[in-house]
Amino acid sequence: MEFIKTVWKNRKLVWGLGRNDFKNRFASTSLGSIWGFLQPFIFMVTYVIVFQFILKTPAPGDYPYTVWFLPGMAMWLCLNDSIINASGSIRAYSYLVKKVVFPVDTIPIISIISSSFVSIFLFIIAIVVSAIYGFLPNILMLIYILFSALCFIIAFTRFTSAVTTLVPDFSNLLGILMQLFFWFTPIIWNLGMLSGHQTILTIIQCIPFTYLVTGMRDVFLGGDMITQNFGLYTIAFWVITILIFLWGNYIFKKNKKDFADVL
């Protein structure tokens, strides 16, 4: 596929720009890129303190709430940060778009790489804390769910980056949608709460965000989101991801020639 070939051909350029993009986010501050790691870390710790020690929210099963919560929240922060940044990346890199020889298709990937440094840090925190409690990750499942997350982010932002470039207001709508997805995804609540509403439960489980957040949690807790119902939700995830990519790729390629004119 042309998109994959373009990214692979320019992989060194994309990696270098992605690394520099992360450094430049906090270039004007005294602590520099440390803020990039500190902010989401404090965010996660705050949620743990509020829900485990103040509200005393129990985790489903006999798991410590911290072990149940951190992997799912780490995955959500990875998805949210990558999607928001990559969606606005073409406008952020407008000076590159106007260079005829620059491969515009790679720009969202640059932002995804930039966001990945913090995401890796958060996943390491989740692994270390879970290991302290005696819950070690299933390595094969961890590799699969991270690969799945990467594929979904690329597919989703292939569409959103094109639309945000053409319609700037879409970035505000996307921010609202991501907030809604946060609350409708079982990050701070568990799917067992919907056990009496089977139709709603099935719909929620078919949403890619639910699949990825629950899948990351299952990496540590031995759940069966990936294989449940003969892999129904895995099939649904990949069908949705592929359809989003095909649709987004069509929109991106169709309107790529107009990006420089609207920036």
Side-chain angles (χ1 to χ4, degrees):
M1 184 176 290
E2 181 183 351
F3 168 70
I4 297 176
K5 290 181 179 178
T6 301
V7 173
W8 179 253
K9 180 181 178 181
N10 298 278
R11 60 189 183 279
K12 291 183 179 180
L13 174 64
V14 171
W15 169 256
L17 289 173
R19 186 177 55 192
N20 290 335
D21 181 81
F22 176 71
K23 293 179 180 178
N24 292 336
R25 286 193 200 181
F26 310 96
S28 60
T29 62
S30 299
L31 295 179
S33 56
I34 292 177
W35 285 114
F37 300 102
L38 189 61
Q39 290 172 347
F41 175 73
I42 292 177
F43 181 77
M44 290 175 63
V45 170
T46 300
Y47 264 84
V48 169
I49 293 174
V50 170
F51 284 94
Q52 179 171 350
F53 299 105
I54 298 178
L55 298 180
K56 300 185 184 301
T57 304
D62 298 323
Y63 311 114
Y65 182 82
T66 303
V67 176
W68 179 85
F69 172 78
L70 285 182
M73 178 57 82
M75 174 56 77
W76 171 259
L77 291 175
C78 168
L79 294 169
N80 184 72
D81 189 52
S82 298
I83 288 172
I84 293 298
N85 287 329
S87 297
S89 61
I90 296 179
R91 285 195 162 271
Y93 279 92
S94 59
Y95 62 93
L96 292 179
V97 177
K98 296 174 182 179
K99 294 182 181 295
V100 179
V101 296
F102 191 85
V104 178
D105 298 71
T106 65
I107 292 179
I109 305 298
I110 293 171
S111 290
I112 292 173
I113 291 175
S114 174
S115 299
S116 68
F117 292 104
V118 173
S119 299
I120 292 172
F121 169 73
L122 295 178
F123 290 135
I124 291 174
I125 293 296
I127 291 172
V128 171
V129 172
S130 298
I132 291 174
Y133 280 94
F135 293 86
L136 299 176
N138 181 319
I139 300 301
L140 291 178
M141 189 180 293
L142 177 62
I143 293 173
Y144 166 76
I145 207 69
L146 291 177
F147 173 75
S148 301
L150 177 61
C151 290
F152 176 73
I153 291 169
I154 291 174
F156 195 71
T157 56
R158 186 72 171 158
F159 167 72
T160 57
S161 61
V163 177
T164 301
T165 303
L166 298 171
V167 185
D169 287 350
F170 182 76
S171 61
N172 296 316
L173 175 61
L174 180 62
I176 295 173
L177 290 175
M178 293 305 293
Q179 290 182 35
L180 292 175
F181 277 125
F182 173 80
W183 292 109
F184 283 101
T185 301
I187 302 168
I188 58 177
W189 56 274
N190 67 83
L191 291 170
M193 296 178 177
L194 297 176
S195 58
H197 307 276
Q198 191 58 44
T199 301
I200 297 176
L201 176 61
T202 301
I203 293 173
I204 293 292
Q205 286 177 305
C206 286
I207 296 175
F209 293 105
T210 299
Y211 180 82
L212 293 171
V213 167
T214 305
M216 177 55 72
R217 191 171 282 145
D218 290 347
V219 165
F220 299 89
L221 304 181
D224 61 349
M225 183 67 174
I226 296 173
T227 58
Q228 188 178 355
N229 293 344
F230 302 100
L232 170 64
Y233 303 117
T234 296
I235 295 172
F237 170 80
W238 285 109
V239 168
I240 293 172
T241 299
I242 292 172
L243 289 177
I244 290 175
F245 178 79
L246 293 175
W247 184 29
N249 194 52
Y250 170 76
I251 297 296
F252 198 103
K253 290 176 63 176
K254 180 181 179 181
N255 296 281
K256 182 168 59 173
K257 64 182 184 299
D258 299 322
F259 288 170
D261 295 332
V262 299
L263 293 175

